């Protein structure tokens, strides 16, 4: 079907729109989609979901647009395609409800053929309801945050997301493929249709293979055309070589079939296409995960769906930027925790080269929060799962499905054993080419009252390794799974291999600070195919799950166990982000990410310091936290005070020099808790600190910290200067507070104001501070550790736009950009 973007000029209102009087009496505001209706709302210490939502509140809102449906479409099918609508979406046409979709992450198609009036304007209204708080364990956002597309086509047409191409076998010189094309006949008579499928090399017009067949599609029914095809000398897809093709399908309605074929004089034609890559994926306990026959260990990171300053809004530029940054550090895989991602993210992974562990649900019929999806799972799971799988199953980046995460039914409660098998079977009926998994955690929950007695019920606490309760309790749950996901259960890998020698294990979720001593285990064990850290990118909500605290050793009230630092007890308002990631919400790599890159083989040296106030204190890091090291040597007032330096290095030895004087040369630790690190004690003296890494006696890299001057200026660093005037493109502008010599002032907390004029709007403005009350949609922020970010969003007009950022006492900076014709 032909796609028409509908993202421009919607009217957004608060409340539930159920009458023309509200349209007339409540003007609303004009917005372009995708749009998050929550990110600009006030946060509150009394927010019903508290830390879960980062102290944002839910609510009811609606979007309205008048759409003209041409008279010449009268004999066609028309509908709306949503890639996700948060949440409990109802779609109305001219005041009549035509669809309801509860799950805010799932794609869905809404058929409007029998509802609209052709040749006239029709009112489309979508009401969204996120008011049943708490409804999630993290920030959800609200609204039409993934955009809307209008589809129209002939009565005999390709079903939305109806193309499925997959690789059956790859030989030395040939790839053998199969393509399924789902064709719908919305008419009253049986039809014969010719289905043609061609494979076109992406980035060119070269058709490398084509096949066709004729099928019968009965009245008011759907039929699937199955076609084998081969490609000579194929270009294979993997994360290092993301070679792509486009699968283009056409359906020609040839005419009626009664007792014989009766051709039509006016044949109709429908077209659709999807990205595709030729690759195979298998997993077994002997060879591990094989991509195109080669063993791959997944260097993975879990990702939530939000995009920091922009809230839940998803756009191509956002997702591509995120995946590129993750890949630069060494990640080769992401887990879409814990719901379906946007189509834009999947396409970014296809194009850039990133494996995807694609996850469906965070809850089944037993809820984790009172207002979550458990209320609708029984009635909705099959249509939701079907829509999700059909959207993503042709994309080569998707190498594995997940039916859920830390499901309370994992021990059999609520029919969990049978349901787990049924979900896996349903996926396999839609796609039998990929392994199926589930992220299973310990029994800190998920047991009945009898078995739960005596269990450690702290979130993700380990079970007793001497007991086999977990293995026995979850074994029926794993029926139908090709790969069993272990959340925070690395200590069970080897003993479980003895119990289940054919089991393929995936570290589906792991504590971030433990990568240094866990990763060698992943590399050593062939049946363990990878590790996914929680998390790769910081996110809104689950506020403060990552933190480090420092207490006097004699303090009797100091926390002593990591689980005493859980957010509900230790993240008061205005904690906002999880603070547990390799990158902050601005996309800046944090020390945790630097450490991981060293574990994965980077030869770079990373030098950090602990604040002098922490010296001699007892450090306690939450299970999802990381030591509070900083890239800073600005500690005015602490001259002569003891301070600890921390260096991450993959070399044998590190030497540190303070103001040119060596304070020692030490071997890099290879032991827990932080292998690939080394610590030095010194006293704070303003000046320069240098860390030098040595391998076999030779320097391989160094890092430098300097004491800077006071804030003296603002530096803007745009990631690009030109954008497409398509309403979707973005310009990320890093903001740095610098001294007179142009050095970033790493402890600067400077109040900034920004404004943008011209053809772009200021879509987001803020810092990576995990504890903040700031509104990312207004024109003010305070830098965090000397940095902030402005994000400009293109409109639909070509021309120039200007960003100006200013601060009292240090002046202003500005940049000019150009929005041009969309490519």
């Amino acid at each position: 079907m032909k796609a028409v973007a509908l993202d421009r000029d919607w009217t957004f209102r608060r409340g539930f729109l159920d009458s023309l009087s509200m349209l007339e009496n409540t003007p609303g505001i004009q917005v372009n989609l995708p749009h998050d209706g929550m990110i600009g709302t006030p946060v509150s210490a009394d927010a019903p979901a508290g830390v879960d939502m980062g102290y944002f509140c839910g609510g009811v809102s609606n979007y309205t647009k008048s759409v003209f449906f041409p008279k010449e479409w009268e004999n066609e099918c028309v509908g709306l395609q949503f890639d996700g609508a948060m949440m409990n979406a109802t779609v109305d046409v001219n005041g009549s409800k035509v669809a309801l979709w509860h799950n805010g992450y799932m794609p869905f198609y809404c058929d409007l053929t029998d509802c609209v009036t052709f040749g006239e304007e029709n009112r489309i209204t979508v009401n969204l309801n996120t008011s049943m708080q708490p409804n999630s364990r993290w920030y959800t956002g609200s609204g039409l945050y993934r955009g809307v597309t209008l589809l129209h086509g002939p009565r005999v047409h390709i079903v939305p997301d109806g193309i499925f191409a997959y690789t059956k076998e790859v030989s030395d010189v040939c790839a053998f493929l199969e393509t399924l094309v789902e064709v719908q006949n919305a008419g009253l008579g049986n039809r014969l249709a010719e289905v043609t499928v061609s494979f076109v090399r992406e980035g060119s017009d070269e058709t490398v293979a084509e096949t066709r067949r004729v099928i019968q599609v009965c009245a008011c029914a759907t039929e699937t055309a199955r076609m084998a095809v081969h490609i000579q000398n194929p270009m294979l897809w993997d994360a290092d070589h993301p070679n792509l093709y486009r699968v283009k399908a056409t359906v020609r309605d040839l005419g009626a079939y009664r007792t014989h074929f009766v051709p039509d004089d006016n044949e109709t034609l429908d077209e659709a296409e999807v990205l595709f890559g030729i690759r195979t994926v298998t997993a077994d306990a002997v060879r591990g995960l094989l991509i195109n026959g080669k063993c791959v260990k997944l260097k993975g990171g879990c990702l939530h769906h939000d995009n920091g300053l922009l809230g839940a809004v998803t756009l191509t530029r956002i997702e591509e930027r995120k995946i590129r940054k993750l890949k630069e550090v060494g990640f080769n895989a992401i887990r879409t925790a814990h719901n379906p991602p946007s189509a834009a993210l999947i396409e970014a992974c296809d194009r850039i080269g990133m494996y995807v562990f694609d996850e469906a649900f965070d809850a089944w019929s037993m809820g984790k929060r009172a207002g979550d999806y458990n209320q609708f799972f029984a009635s909705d799971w099959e249509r939701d799962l079907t829509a999700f799988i059909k959207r993503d199953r042709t994309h080569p980046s998707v190498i594995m499905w997940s039916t859920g995460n830390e499901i309370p039914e994992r021990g059999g409660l609520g029919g969990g054993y049978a349901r787990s098998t049924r979900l896996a079977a349903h996926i396999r009926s839609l796609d039998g080419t990929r392994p199926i998994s589930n992220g299973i955690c310990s029994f800190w929950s998920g047991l009945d009252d009898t078995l739960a007695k005596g269990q450690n019920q702290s979130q993700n606490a380990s079970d007793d390794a001497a007991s086999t309760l977990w293995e026995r309790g979850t074994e029926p749950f794993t029926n139908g799974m090709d790969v069993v996901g272990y959340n925070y259960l690395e200590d069970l890998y080897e003993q479980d291999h003895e119990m289940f020698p054919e089991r393929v294990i995936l570290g589906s979720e792991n504590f971030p600070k433990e990568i240094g001593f866990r990763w060698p285990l992943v590399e050593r064990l062939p049946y363990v195919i990878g590790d996914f850290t929680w998390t790769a990118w910081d996110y809104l909500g689950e506020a403060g799950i990552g933190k480090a605290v420092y207490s006097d050793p004699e303090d009797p009230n100091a926390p002593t166990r990591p689980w005493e630092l859980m957010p509900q007890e230790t993240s008061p308002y205005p904690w906002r982000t999880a603070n547990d990631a390799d990158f902050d919400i601005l996309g800046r790599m944090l020390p945790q990410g630097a450490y991981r890159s060293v574990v994965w083989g980077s030869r770079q040296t990373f030098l950090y310091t602990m604040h002098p106030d922490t010296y001699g204190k007892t450090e306690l890091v939450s299970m999802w936290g990381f030591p509070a090291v900083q890239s800073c040597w600005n500690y005015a007032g602490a001259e002569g005070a003891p301070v600890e330096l921390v260096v991450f290095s993959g070399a044998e030895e590190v030497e540190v020099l303070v103001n040119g004087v060596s304070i020692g040369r030490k071997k890099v630790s290879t032991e827990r808790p932080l292998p690939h690190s080394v610590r030095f004690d010194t006293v704070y003296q303003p000046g320069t600190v240098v860390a030098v890494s040595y391998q076999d006696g030779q320097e391989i890299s160094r890092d430098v910290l300097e004491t800077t001057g006071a804030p003296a200026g603002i530096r803007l660093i745009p990631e690009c200067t030109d954008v497409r005037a398509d309403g979707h493109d973005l310009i990320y502008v890093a903001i740095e507070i610098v001294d007179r010599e142009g050095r970033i002032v790493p402890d600067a907390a400077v109040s900034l104001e920004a404004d943008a004029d011209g053809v772009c709007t200021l879509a987001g403005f803020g810092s990576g501070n995990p504890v903040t009350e700031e509104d990312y949609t207004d024109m003010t922020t305070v830098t965090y550790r000397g940095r902030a970010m402005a994000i400009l969003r293109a409109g639909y007009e070509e021309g120039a736009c200007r960003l100006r950022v200013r601060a009292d006492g240090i002046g202003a900076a500005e940049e000019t950009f150009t929005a041009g014709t969309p490519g």
Side-chain angles (χ1 to χ4, degrees):
M1 301 174 81
K2 293 181 180 177
V4 179
L6 278 191
D7 287 347
R8 187 173 183 176
D9 292 338
W10 288 71
T11 302
F12 174 71
R13 297 174 174 87
R14 303 288 175 191
F16 186 80
L17 196 153
D18 62 351
S19 66
L20 283 174
S21 62
M22 184 176 181
L23 283 174
E24 295 166 354
N25 298 327
T26 309
I29 60 172
Q30 294 301 115
V31 300
N32 292 329
L33 308 183
H35 174 261
D36 180 357
M38 184 181 291
I39 193 62
T41 59
V43 288
S44 169
D46 298 324
V51 294
D52 287 345
M53 291 280 284
Y55 295 97
F56 283 89
C57 302
V60 178
S61 59
N62 63 85
Y63 297 77
T64 293
K65 182 177 177 66
S66 181
V67 179
F68 181 78
F69 288 80
K71 189 72 173 176
E72 53 266 31
W73 293 1
E74 194 164 28
N75 293 319
E76 295 187 350
C77 294
V78 297
L80 298 177
Q81 183 80 38
F82 295 83
D83 195 41
M86 188 63 67
M87 58 187 290
N88 300 312
T90 59
V91 182
D92 296 354
V93 175
N94 300 324
S96 177
K97 177 179 171 181
V98 296
L100 167 65
W101 210 278
H102 294 111
N103 193 305
Y105 301 95
M106 293 294 177
F108 64 98
Y109 176 73
C110 176
D111 186 6
L112 305 183
T113 305
D114 295 331
C115 306
V116 299
T117 303
F118 294 95
E120 296 182 10
E121 297 281 344
N122 292 256
R123 174 172 65 87
I124 308 295
T125 293
V126 184
N127 282 290
L128 293 310
N129 182 358
T130 58
S131 67
M132 290 186 290
Q133 298 286 329
N135 60 26
S136 173
R137 298 184 296 127
W138 51 83
Y139 177 87
T140 61
S142 177
L144 298 180
Y145 68 112
R146 291 181 179 171
V148 181
T149 302
L150 171 64
L151 300 180
H152 71 98
R155 293 285 170 152
V156 177
H157 60 267
I158 301 168
V159 171
D161 293 325
I163 301 173
F164 178 32
Y166 63 93
T167 305
K168 296 170 66 178
E169 181 186 351
V170 178
S171 70
D172 291 339
V173 296
C174 196
F176 299 92
L177 316 174
E178 186 163 43
T179 305
L180 283 64
V181 180
E182 207 172 342
V183 181
Q184 182 177 31
N185 175 10
L188 297 179
N190 299 336
R191 312 294 292 181
L192 291 188
E194 181 185 67
V195 182
T196 302
V197 171
S198 57
F199 288 78
V200 179
R201 198 181 304 278
E202 176 68 352
S204 75
D205 295 325
E206 179 189 2
T207 298
V208 298
E210 187 171 279
T211 186
R212 69 189 65 213
R213 73 160 56 250
V214 174
I215 63 171
Q216 176 176 311
V217 191
C218 295
C220 301
T222 299
E223 188 57 78
T224 300
R226 306 178 68 96
M227 288 168 283
V229 65
H230 70 276
I231 295 177
Q232 295 285 348
N233 302 311
M235 298 178 65
L236 303 187
W237 187 99
D238 63 30
D240 296 323
H241 310 91
N243 300 307
L244 290 170
Y245 296 86
R246 282 198 170 273
V247 183
K248 295 188 174 183
T250 62
V251 173
R252 188 180 303 276
D253 182 2
L254 301 175
Y257 186 84
R258 302 180 188 283
T259 57
H260 62 276
F261 173 57
V262 181
D264 271 1
D265 293 334
N266 298 313
E267 296 179 350
T268 63
L269 184 72
D270 189 37
E271 300 175 324
E273 62 179 50
V274 65
L275 277 181
F276 173 69
I278 299 171
R279 62 108 186 90
T280 59
V281 53
T282 61
D284 61 64
V286 176
R287 298 170 299 172
L289 176 68
L290 301 181
I291 305 292
N292 299 326
K294 297 178 182 179
C295 182
V296 172
K297 294 289 187 178
L298 298 177
K299 298 177 178 179
C302 297
L303 285 184
H304 271 314
H305 74 294
D306 83 70
N307 285 302
L309 305 183
L310 300 176
V313 166
T314 183
L315 294 161
T316 297
R317 176 82 71 173
I318 302 172
E319 310 300 2
E320 288 182 346
R321 176 179 185 265
K322 184 183 297 182
I323 297 305
R324 290 188 193 282
K325 284 182 174 288
L326 292 176
K327 195 168 184 178
E328 288 168 3
V329 172
F331 286 96
N332 66 7
I334 61 168
R335 178 186 180 196
T336 66
H338 295 296
N339 292 281
S342 66
L345 179 67
I346 296 297
E347 182 169 337
C349 292
D350 286 346
R351 293 188 179 280
I352 296 167
M354 183 69 72
Y355 300 121
V356 179
F357 181 23
D358 214 358
E359 192 150 68
F361 304 113
D362 188 51
W364 293 353
S365 60
M366 293 178 64
K368 297 178 181 178
R369 295 294 185 269
D372 71 18
Y373 183 64
N374 81 89
Q375 304 168 94
F376 312 112
F377 181 84
S379 60
D380 290 5
W381 75 264
E382 188 167 355
R383 73 169 188 175
D384 285 346
L385 190 59
T386 299
F388 162 53
I389 299 297
K390 288 178 68 174
R391 188 197 66 179
D392 290 354
R393 62 184 177 176
T394 294
H395 292 275
S397 59
V398 178
I399 61 165
M400 193 174 350
W401 303 113
S402 171
T403 57
N405 170 70
E406 298 182 0
I407 298 300
E409 295 96 319
R410 63 191 176 277
L413 300 181
Y417 293 156
R419 179 167 289 115
S420 178
T421 301
R422 187 178 178 191
L423 263 66
H426 186 69
I427 292 177
R428 207 164 272 117
S429 73
L430 297 167
D431 172 28
T433 71
R434 293 172 174 85
I436 298 170
S437 185
N438 185 290
I440 308 174
C441 61
S442 66
F443 277 136
W444 59 273
S445 67
L447 295 174
D448 70 5
D449 292 350
T450 299
L451 293 178
K453 291 177 181 177
Q455 286 291 114
N456 186 341
Q457 296 180 21
S458 298
Q459 183 175 341
N460 292 112
S462 297
D463 289 330
D464 182 2
S467 166
T468 59
L469 172 64
W470 185 83
E471 288 82 358
R472 289 181 287 108
T474 60
E475 184 179 4
F477 187 79
T478 67
N479 184 40
M481 295 180 195
D482 306 286
V483 174
V484 179
Y486 280 51
N487 281 16
Y488 311 105
L489 295 171
E490 297 94 323
D491 292 336
L492 299 183
Y493 289 173
E494 292 181 273
Q495 74 175 45
D496 282 12
H497 179 62
E498 295 296 319
M499 294 183 66
F500 310 108
E502 299 300 329
R503 176 175 287 185
V504 181
I505 294 173
L506 171 65
S508 43
E509 200 165 307
N510 305 98
F511 297 124
K513 64 180 181 293
E514 296 183 356
I515 185 65
F517 62 86
R518 299 298 190 185
W519 185 250
L521 186 70
V522 176
E523 291 189 308
R524 179 168 61 84
L525 303 177
Y527 51 86
V528 178
I529 64 173
D531 174 288
F532 284 81
T533 186
W534 191 268
T535 58
W537 201 280
D538 203 7
Y539 56 97
L540 308 179
E542 212 165 21
I545 196 170
K547 61 168 68 76
V549 298
Y550 297 84
S551 307
D552 290 326
E554 299 82 15
D555 184 354
N557 298 316
T560 58
R561 298 171 59 252
W563 276 278
E564 294 178 51
L565 301 182
M566 292 301 289
Q568 285 75 13
E569 291 78 34
T570 63
S571 299
Y573 179 84
W575 265 96
R576 177 167 297 180
T577 77
N579 195 45
D580 62 354
D582 287 23
F583 287 82
D584 69 10
I585 61 170
L586 307 185
R588 187 174 70 88
M589 188 178 72
L590 298 171
Q592 177 178 305
Y595 178 65
R596 187 180 312 279
S597 73
V598 169
V599 172
W600 283 342
S602 171
R603 292 170 64 85
Q604 211 171 333
T605 300
F606 296 95
L607 170 62
Y608 298 101
T609 66
M610 301 292 296
H611 196 285
D613 289 349
T614 67
Y615 192 86
K617 294 186 176 180
T618 300
E619 178 184 74
L620 183 65
V621 182
S622 75
M623 296 307 297
W624 292 270
F626 198 77
V629 297
Q630 302 180 55
S631 182
C632 181
W633 197 238
N634 282 15
Y635 296 119
E639 289 79 5
V643 64
E644 189 173 28
L645 311 177
V646 182
V647 183
F648 301 146
S649 173
E652 294 173 342
E653 295 180 311
V654 169
E655 182 179 20
V656 170
L657 301 94
V658 178
N659 294 331
V661 179
S662 176
I663 63 169
R665 183 162 169 168
K666 293 184 178 182
K667 288 189 177 297
V668 176
S669 173
T670 58
E671 303 299 325
R672 299 171 73 157
L674 277 181
H676 301 286
S677 72
V678 58
R679 295 178 180 240
F680 295 81
D681 285 350
T682 187
V683 295
Y684 175 64
Q685 307 169 41
T688 301
V689 183
V690 180
V692 185
S693 293
Y694 295 94
Q695 186 73 25
D696 299 325
Q698 301 296 313
E699 178 182 336
I700 62 169
S701 62
R702 62 174 57 200
D703 196 10
V704 179
L705 293 177
E706 294 182 287
T707 305
T708 72
I714 300 170
R715 181 162 58 212
L716 304 183
I717 306 175
E719 295 183 8
C720 63
T721 56
D722 300 314
V723 290
R724 300 179 303 274
D726 60 1
H728 288 181
D729 208 359
L730 300 169
I731 301 172
Y732 283 83
V733 184
I735 303 167
E736 297 176 346
I737 303 301
V738 296
D739 67 5
R740 292 189 182 280
E741 296 182 33
R743 299 172 298 186
I744 298 175
V745 183
D747 59 340
V750 175
S751 296
L752 300 177
E753 295 182 1
D755 62 78
D757 55 40
V759 297
C760 297
T761 58
L762 186 61
F765 186 51
S767 76
N769 193 342
V771 185
T772 181
E773 291 182 285
E774 64 188 1
D775 179 346
Y776 300 141
T777 66
D778 70 12
M779 304 296 184
T780 63
T781 191
V782 177
T783 60
Y784 181 63
R785 296 181 175 172
R787 291 176 167 87
M789 177 76 73
I791 306 174
L792 298 174
R793 180 168 173 177
Y796 290 91
E797 295 180 11
E798 297 180 29
C801 60
R802 180 185 64 96
L803 170 69
R804 187 169 186 267
V805 180
R806 58 190 174 275
D808 289 344
I810 60 173
E814 66 177 58
E815 290 280 345
T816 301
F817 309 96
T818 302
T821 304

